[in-house]
Amino acid sequence: MRDLFARLAAREVDALAGWRAGEYVRHGALLARVRAWAALGRRTGPGPVALYHEDSLEFAAALVGAWLAGKTVWLPADVLPATCAALAGNVDAFWGEFPADYAPQSPSAAGDAEWRAPAPDFPALVVFTSGTTGTPVPIPKRFSQLTSELEALETQFGAALGDAAVVSTVSHQHIYGLLFRVLWPLAAGRPVHAARHEYPETLAPALAARPAVLLASPAHLKRLPDHLDWRGAAANLRAVFSSGGMLDAAAAHHAGALLGQAPIEVYGSSETGGIAWRRRTAAAADGWTPLPGVAWKRGEDGLLAVRSEPAGGDDWLVLADRVDDQEGGRFVLRGRADRIVKIEEKRISLDAIEAGLLAGGLAREARVLACPDDGHGRQVLAAFVVPSDAGRAVLNEGGKTALNAHLRAQLASGLEAVALPRRWRYLDALPVDARGKTTAAQLLALLAPPVRPREPAVRVLERDEARVLLELTVPFDLLYFDGHFCVAPVLPGVVQVDWAIRYGTAYLGRAGSFAGMQALKFQQMIRPEQPVRLELSRDAARCSLAFRYFSEAGAHASGRILFGPD
């Protein structure tokens, strides 16, 4: 695998590189795009480039072309404004499918390039951590780190895969997808589906078409619907890989039952590359087997330390995962050390609380995070729960309060009161990003109060220079209904006056500064979703604005607003 470029150059031009929109893509066409991207790289100077492209075959051509041109490639996970702004200070050009503001480049014509592999210490890539803290960190990768990892993957798994087609539900814009969906197939000569299969309705027939390898994440595998016909996939699959997070035992068995074989889980990170693997069957334990070339040890603090070429070479890299030894050179993961938090000076394991929530059968998935309590300025725990069928029944019958009580009582038998979650969110599914990961930032965003409307829906019925007639429909979740009143929502009179001034200014022009009100009357309440009409009349001579709210039910409010000089 270390001779990636030699393998690419030696492959027959008629060999199958993959499929795009159902059409064959030959290796010769892929090489032509590689040379075109390399020519673009030579024209744009020696600086690094940012690369984003959804099409795996075009992405592969751009990546290899950049390396032929001597360019380091920065690999963002997305093209959101904040991501692009951060990249702009580190790269000289944007390649692929970036927003137009960043002048993304793509070669339109063929080119030529000297075919020379990068040196082992060439700074090939900058990838990013998964961003579970909300702030992705750039991680540089030498060419030798990537090629040594490809060697380990082929040594461990290659014989079972043969020439199977690579089908993926994960993006290649992060380290797992990059290695398994792009670089490993390139080196081994396995064809690739250019598009990512985000939906099981397209995934099942793609797997059934020919011998295949499936690249997935835990989020995708646990959501495979059993109403689809997976028999063709089960007959053709050579292997199912899962990475990017822990796959729980129930999800592993569910995926195995549908796909005909248990997934191969790969444990690693952006910093370390692949570390170990496991394949859980009914009889298998939860132990992890190190990948070829990976050394590991359990430190005095119980934390895992690894040493390998993908992880950086000779130095031991200490991770935040707690481990125990297991026979046969394997290890068992015991949770994250950084998932121990202090609440009112007591050390609390978030992993233990999540396990407690799942143990009672009311929750199918659960995540627990520490967050600030806005009301008191202290730290509290928030639980994000996907209810099971039993939990959903409790929720439907008694509401959130009832399910809160059941889950708190379930936890109280083994936890101190301070460790019980104070904030709860019940979800149909945990949110996931393009990598199939659920991040802390995504979950904590669910705690933010929703943006409440402050305006009605407005429709102009009649209008001239001195008069306008509007139809207003007040939304049920209008911010101003809060506390006004507890029995039934009522639109406050001060809001009605404010809207009269605001829409009078918008449709009839500014009359001056507020000077007072006359003949103010409130006859009937205005309720949510009740269409009312607002008539506004400007009297320029008297510097006043008359307003009148009315509907089929009769008059609601009226008055005259006086204005003076600005």
Side-chain angles (χ1 to χ4, degrees):
M1 292 299 118
R2 295 181 186 274
D3 53 354
L4 169 64
F5 277 71
R7 287 170 176 265
L8 289 175
R11 194 163 298 142
E12 294 291 334
V13 294
D14 288 334
L16 182 62
W19 297 267
R20 177 183 291 119
E23 299 293 329
Y24 289 111
V25 177
R26 299 296 178 182
H27 184 64
L30 178 65
L31 289 184
R33 293 303 294 165
V34 168
R35 292 188 171 93
W37 283 101
L40 174 64
R42 292 196 304 273
R43 294 195 301 270
T44 55
V49 297
L51 173 59
Y52 187 93
H53 208 297
E54 292 282 358
D55 185 300
S56 281
L57 293 172
E58 189 67 10
F59 172 91
L63 181 64
V64 175
W67 290 343
L68 285 176
K71 288 187 169 296
T72 300
V73 175
W74 285 60
L75 205 62
D78 53 61
V79 291
L80 295 173
T83 303
C84 294
L87 287 170
N90 293 287
V91 302
D92 287 350
F94 289 80
W95 281 13
E97 298 173 332
F98 285 94
D101 291 347
Y102 292 90
Q105 300 176 10
S106 294
S108 57
D112 199 4
E114 181 182 356
W115 199 266
R116 183 172 57 187
D121 61 351
F122 172 65
L125 279 176
V126 176
V127 297
F128 290 85
T129 60
S130 61
T132 52
T133 62
T135 307
V137 177
I139 307 294
K141 293 285 183 181
R142 300 187 309 274
F143 188 66
S144 60
Q145 291 177 277
L146 301 173
T147 54
S148 63
E149 184 150 14
L150 300 183
E151 191 74 33
L153 293 176
E154 184 67 14
T155 299
Q156 183 67 60
F157 306 115
L161 305 186
D163 59 354
V166 177
V167 181
S168 179
T169 70
V170 299
S171 169
H172 51 239
Q173 296 286 149
H174 62 95
I175 193 68
Y176 166 43
L178 171 72
L179 290 166
F180 281 69
R181 186 178 165 188
V182 175
L183 294 180
W184 189 14
L186 276 181
R190 296 187 183 99
V192 174
H193 282 238
R196 181 161 64 104
H197 290 271
E198 300 183 66
Y199 304 104
E201 290 78 9
T202 65
L203 178 63
L207 295 175
R210 56 186 59 85
V213 178
L214 173 59
L215 313 178
S217 71
H220 293 120
L221 290 176
K222 70 178 60 173
R223 291 176 173 84
L224 290 178
D226 52 16
H227 69 270
L228 294 179
D229 185 357
W230 296 99
R231 290 174 296 179
N236 275 325
L237 271 168
R238 301 273 178 85
V240 179
F241 289 99
S242 174
S243 191
M246 292 297 120
L247 180 67
D248 61 69
H253 298 321
H254 167 74
L258 293 180
L259 301 176
Q261 57 181 290
I264 299 170
E265 301 173 61
V266 180
Y267 161 64
S269 69
S270 300
E271 296 90 338
T272 63
I275 296 173
W277 68 278
R278 70 179 178 185
R279 188 175 188 181
R280 286 185 291 184
T281 62
D286 290 338
W288 293 87
T289 301
L291 286 165
V294 176
W296 72 275
K297 65 180 181 179
R298 182 181 185 273
E300 294 182 0
D301 52 6
L303 297 181
L304 174 66
V306 299
R307 184 174 62 191
S308 69
E309 176 63 22
D314 296 332
D315 294 333
W316 288 97
L317 184 61
V318 180
L319 308 182
D321 293 307
R322 296 178 286 115
V323 295
D324 282 335
D325 297 342
Q326 195 179 60
E327 62 181 8
R330 296 181 299 173
F331 58 84
V332 178
L333 291 171
R334 297 302 187 192
R336 298 278 295 178
D338 56 7
R339 301 210 78 220
I340 303 294
V341 300
K342 273 193 173 184
I343 304 290
E344 297 186 11
E345 305 309 316
K346 294 185 181 294
R347 290 171 57 85
I348 296 168
S349 168
L350 301 182
D351 290 331
I353 301 175
E354 291 174 358
L357 289 170
L358 296 174
L362 295 176
R364 182 158 52 87
E365 295 181 77
R367 296 288 187 275
V368 177
L369 298 174
C371 65
D373 181 359
D374 295 335
H376 302 88
R378 64 188 180 189
Q379 189 166 244
V380 298
L381 298 183
F384 305 86
V385 177
V386 178
S388 64
D389 291 342
R392 185 67 63 184
V394 173
L395 192 63
N396 292 338
E397 182 177 346
K400 182 178 177 181
T401 301
L403 188 51
N404 284 2
H406 277 78
L407 292 176
R408 285 174 62 87
Q410 181 178 303
L411 293 173
S413 62
L415 295 173
E416 297 184 64
V418 70
L420 299 178
R422 296 292 190 269
R423 306 183 70 178
W424 300 82
R425 291 292 184 271
Y426 297 109
L427 312 170
D428 293 330
L430 294 176
V432 295
D433 58 17
R435 309 165 189 229
K437 288 196 173 188
T438 299
T439 67
Q442 288 174 302
L443 292 174
L444 293 175
L446 299 176
L447 299 175
V451 178
R452 303 277 299 281
R454 298 169 182 257
E455 303 283 342
V458 179
R459 188 161 66 98
V460 179
L461 301 179
E462 301 174 12
R463 182 182 181 185
D464 57 35
E465 291 184 359
R467 175 183 172 276
V468 63
L469 180 63
L470 308 174
E471 182 183 75
L472 310 184
T473 302
V474 183
F476 72 92
D477 56 345
L478 186 79
L479 178 66
Y480 304 123
F481 284 139
D482 286 0
H484 208 271
F485 294 96
C486 59
V487 178
V490 175
L491 185 65
V494 66
V495 175
Q496 297 180 45
V497 173
D498 177 70
W499 285 354
I501 297 173
R502 178 176 308 191
Y503 295 123
T505 300
Y507 291 102
L508 301 177
R510 181 169 174 81
S513 60
F514 177 80
M517 291 186 291
Q518 294 178 342
L520 191 59
K521 296 179 182 179
F522 295 99
Q523 293 104 328
Q524 291 190 71
M525 294 180 290
I526 297 177
R527 298 287 182 85
E529 305 298 335
Q530 176 186 11
V532 297
R533 296 190 175 190
L534 171 59
E535 182 182 47
L536 299 165
S537 302
R538 168 67 48 78
D539 188 334
R542 300 174 63 180
C543 293
S544 66
L545 175 69
F547 70 89
R548 182 169 68 100
Y549 289 91
F550 62 97
S551 69
E552 294 179 354
H556 292 275
S558 61
R560 185 180 300 109
I561 303 166
L562 306 178
F563 298 93
D566 281 328

Coordinates of all heavy atoms in Angstrom, one line a residue, residues 5 33-42 45-49 51 59-74 95 118 122 124-125:
F5 N 1.0 5.5 -5.5 CA 1.1 6.2 -6.8 C 1.6 5.2 -7.9 O 1.1 5.3 -9.0 CB 2.1 7.4 -6.7 CG 1.5 8.6 -6.2 CD1 1.1 8.7 -4.8 CD2 1.2 9.7 -7.0 CE1 0.5 9.8 -4.3 CE2 0.6 10.8 -6.5 CZ 0.2 10.9 -5.1
R33 N -8.6 13.0 -15.0 CA -9.0 14.1 -14.0 C -7.9 14.4 -13.0 O -7.7 15.5 -12.6 CB -10.2 13.7 -13.3 CG -11.5 13.6 -14.2 CD -11.7 14.9 -14.9 NE -12.1 16.0 -13.9 CZ -12.1 17.3 -14.2 NH1 -11.7 17.7 -15.4 NH2 -12.4 18.2 -13.3
V34 N -7.1 13.3 -12.6 CA -6.0 13.5 -11.7 C -5.0 14.5 -12.4 O -4.5 15.5 -11.7 CB -5.3 12.2 -11.4 CG1 -3.9 12.5 -10.7 CG2 -6.1 11.3 -10.6
R35 N -4.7 14.3 -13.6 CA -3.7 15.2 -14.3 C -4.3 16.6 -14.5 O -3.5 17.6 -14.4 CB -3.3 14.6 -15.6 CG -2.5 13.3 -15.5 CD -1.9 12.8 -16.8 NE -1.0 11.7 -16.7 CZ -1.4 10.4 -16.7 NH1 -2.6 10.1 -16.9 NH2 -0.4 9.5 -16.5
A36 N -5.6 16.7 -14.7 CA -6.2 18.0 -14.9 C -6.1 18.8 -13.6 O -5.8 20.0 -13.5 CB -7.6 17.9 -15.3
W37 N -6.4 18.1 -12.4 CA -6.3 18.8 -11.1 C -4.8 19.2 -10.8 O -4.5 20.2 -10.3 CB -6.8 17.9 -10.0 CG -8.3 17.9 -10.0 CD1 -9.1 16.9 -10.4 CD2 -9.2 18.9 -9.4 NE1 -10.5 17.2 -10.2 CE2 -10.5 18.4 -9.5 CE3 -8.9 20.1 -8.7 CZ2 -11.6 19.2 -9.1 CZ3 -10.0 20.8 -8.3 CH2 -11.3 20.4 -8.4
A38 N -3.9 18.3 -11.2 CA -2.5 18.6 -11.0 C -2.0 19.8 -11.8 O -1.2 20.6 -11.3 CB -1.6 17.3 -11.3
A39 N -2.5 19.9 -13.0 CA -2.1 21.1 -13.8 C -2.7 22.3 -13.2 O -2.0 23.4 -13.1 CB -2.7 20.9 -15.2
L40 N -3.9 22.2 -12.6 CA -4.5 23.4 -11.9 C -3.6 23.8 -10.7 O -3.4 24.9 -10.5 CB -5.9 23.1 -11.5 CG -6.6 24.1 -10.6 CD1 -6.8 25.4 -11.4 CD2 -7.9 23.6 -10.1
G41 N -3.2 22.7 -10.0 CA -2.3 23.0 -8.9 C -1.0 23.7 -9.2 O -0.6 24.6 -8.5
R42 N -0.4 23.3 -10.3 CA 0.8 24.0 -10.7 C 0.6 25.4 -11.1 O 1.5 26.3 -11.0 CB 1.5 23.2 -11.8 CG 2.0 21.8 -11.4 CD 3.0 21.3 -12.5 NE 2.4 21.3 -13.8 CZ 1.7 20.2 -14.3 NH1 1.5 19.2 -13.5 NH2 1.2 20.2 -15.5
G45 N 0.2 28.2 -7.7 CA 1.3 28.5 -6.7 C 1.5 27.3 -5.7 O 0.7 26.3 -5.7
P46 N 2.4 27.5 -4.8 CA 2.8 26.4 -3.9 C 2.0 26.3 -2.6 O 2.2 25.3 -1.9 CB 4.3 26.8 -3.6 CG 4.3 28.3 -3.6 CD 3.3 28.7 -4.7
G47 N 1.1 27.2 -2.3 CA 0.4 27.2 -1.1 C -0.6 26.1 -1.0 O -1.0 25.5 -2.0
P48 N -1.1 25.8 0.3 CA -2.1 24.7 0.5 C -3.4 25.1 -0.1 O -3.7 26.3 -0.3 CB -2.1 24.6 2.0 CG -1.7 25.9 2.5 CD -0.7 26.4 1.5
V49 N -4.2 24.1 -0.3 CA -5.6 24.3 -0.9 C -6.6 23.6 0.1 O -6.3 22.6 0.7 CB -5.8 23.7 -2.3 CG1 -4.8 24.5 -3.3 CG2 -5.5 22.2 -2.3
L51 N -10.1 21.5 0.1 CA -10.8 20.6 -0.9 C -12.1 20.1 -0.3 O -12.1 19.5 0.8 CB -9.9 19.4 -1.2 CG -10.5 18.3 -2.1 CD1 -11.0 18.9 -3.4 CD2 -9.5 17.2 -2.3
F59 N -13.4 13.8 -6.0 CA -12.6 14.1 -4.9 C -11.2 13.4 -4.9 O -10.2 14.0 -4.6 CB -13.3 13.7 -3.6 CG -12.5 13.9 -2.3 CD1 -12.6 15.1 -1.6 CD2 -11.8 12.8 -1.9 CE1 -11.8 15.2 -0.4 CE2 -11.0 12.9 -0.7 CZ -11.1 14.1 0.0
A60 N -11.2 12.1 -5.2 CA -10.0 11.3 -5.3 C -9.0 11.9 -6.3 O -7.8 12.0 -6.1 CB -10.3 9.9 -5.6
A61 N -9.6 12.3 -7.5 CA -8.7 12.9 -8.5 C -8.1 14.2 -8.1 O -6.9 14.4 -8.3 CB -9.6 13.1 -9.8
A62 N -8.9 15.0 -7.4 CA -8.4 16.3 -6.9 C -7.3 16.1 -5.9 O -6.3 16.8 -5.8 CB -9.6 17.1 -6.4
L63 N -7.6 15.1 -5.0 CA -6.6 14.9 -3.9 C -5.3 14.4 -4.4 O -4.2 15.0 -4.1 CB -7.2 13.9 -2.9 CG -6.3 13.5 -1.7 CD1 -6.1 14.7 -0.8 CD2 -7.0 12.3 -0.9
V64 N -5.3 13.4 -5.3 CA -4.1 12.9 -5.9 C -3.4 14.0 -6.8 O -2.2 14.1 -6.7 CB -4.3 11.6 -6.7 CG1 -3.1 11.1 -7.4 CG2 -4.9 10.5 -5.8
G65 N -4.2 14.7 -7.5 CA -3.7 15.8 -8.3 C -3.0 16.9 -7.5 O -1.9 17.4 -7.9
A66 N -3.6 17.2 -6.3 CA -2.9 18.2 -5.5 C -1.6 17.7 -5.0 O -0.6 18.4 -4.9 CB -3.8 18.5 -4.3
W67 N -1.5 16.4 -4.6 CA -0.2 15.9 -4.1 C 0.8 15.8 -5.3 O 2.0 16.1 -5.0 CB -0.5 14.5 -3.6 CG -1.2 14.5 -2.3 CD1 -1.4 15.5 -1.5 CD2 -1.9 13.4 -1.6 NE1 -2.2 15.2 -0.4 CE2 -2.5 13.9 -0.4 CE3 -2.1 12.0 -2.0 CZ2 -3.2 13.0 0.4 CZ3 -2.8 11.2 -1.1 CH2 -3.3 11.7 0.1
L68 N 0.4 15.5 -6.5 CA 1.3 15.6 -7.6 C 1.9 17.0 -7.8 O 3.0 17.1 -8.2 CB 0.6 15.1 -8.9 CG 0.4 13.6 -9.0 CD1 -0.4 13.3 -10.3 CD2 1.7 12.8 -9.0
A69 N 1.1 18.0 -7.5 CA 1.5 19.4 -7.6 C 2.2 19.9 -6.4 O 2.5 21.0 -6.3 CB 0.3 20.2 -7.9
G70 N 2.4 19.0 -5.4 CA 3.2 19.4 -4.2 C 2.4 20.2 -3.2 O 2.9 20.9 -2.4
K71 N 1.1 20.0 -3.2 CA 0.2 20.8 -2.4 C -0.3 20.0 -1.1 O -0.7 18.9 -1.3 CB -1.0 21.3 -3.1 CG -0.7 22.4 -4.2 CD -1.9 23.0 -4.8 CE -1.6 24.2 -5.6 NZ -1.1 25.3 -4.7
T72 N -0.3 20.7 0.0 CA -0.9 20.2 1.2 C -2.4 20.5 1.1 O -2.8 21.6 0.7 CB -0.4 20.8 2.5 OG1 1.0 20.5 2.6 CG2 -1.1 20.3 3.7
V73 N -3.2 19.5 1.4 CA -4.7 19.7 1.3 C -5.3 19.8 2.7 O -5.1 18.9 3.5 CB -5.3 18.5 0.5 CG1 -6.8 18.6 0.5 CG2 -4.7 18.4 -0.9
W74 N -6.1 20.8 2.9 CA -6.9 21.0 4.1 C -8.3 20.4 3.8 O -8.9 20.8 2.8 CB -7.0 22.5 4.5 CG -5.7 23.0 5.1 CD1 -4.5 23.1 4.5 CD2 -5.6 23.6 6.4 NE1 -3.6 23.6 5.4 CE2 -4.2 23.9 6.5 CE3 -6.5 23.8 7.4 CZ2 -3.7 24.5 7.7 CZ3 -6.0 24.4 8.6 CH2 -4.6 24.7 8.7
W95 N -10.8 24.5 -3.6 CA -11.0 23.6 -4.7 C -12.3 22.8 -4.5 O -12.6 22.3 -3.4 CB -9.9 22.5 -4.8 CG -8.7 23.0 -5.5 CD1 -8.4 24.3 -5.8 CD2 -7.6 22.2 -5.9 NE1 -7.1 24.4 -6.4 CE2 -6.6 23.1 -6.5 CE3 -7.3 20.9 -5.9 CZ2 -5.4 22.7 -7.0 CZ3 -6.1 20.4 -6.5 CH2 -5.2 21.3 -7.0
P118 N 4.8 11.5 -3.6 CA 5.4 12.4 -2.5 C 6.4 11.7 -1.6 O 6.3 10.4 -1.5 CB 4.1 12.8 -1.7 CG 3.0 12.5 -2.6 CD 3.4 11.3 -3.5
F122 N 6.2 14.1 3.4 CA 5.5 15.2 2.8 C 4.2 15.5 3.7 O 3.5 14.6 4.0 CB 5.1 14.8 1.4 CG 4.1 15.7 0.7 CD1 4.5 17.0 0.4 CD2 2.8 15.3 0.4 CE1 3.6 17.9 -0.2 CE2 1.9 16.2 -0.2 CZ 2.3 17.5 -0.5
A124 N 0.9 15.9 3.8 CA -0.1 15.6 2.8 C -1.4 16.2 3.1 O -2.1 16.8 2.2 CB -0.3 14.1 2.6
L125 N -1.8 16.2 4.4 CA -3.2 16.6 4.7 C -3.2 17.4 6.0 O -2.4 17.2 6.9 CB -4.1 15.3 4.9 CG -4.7 14.6 3.7 CD1 -5.4 13.3 4.2 CD2 -5.6 15.5 3.0

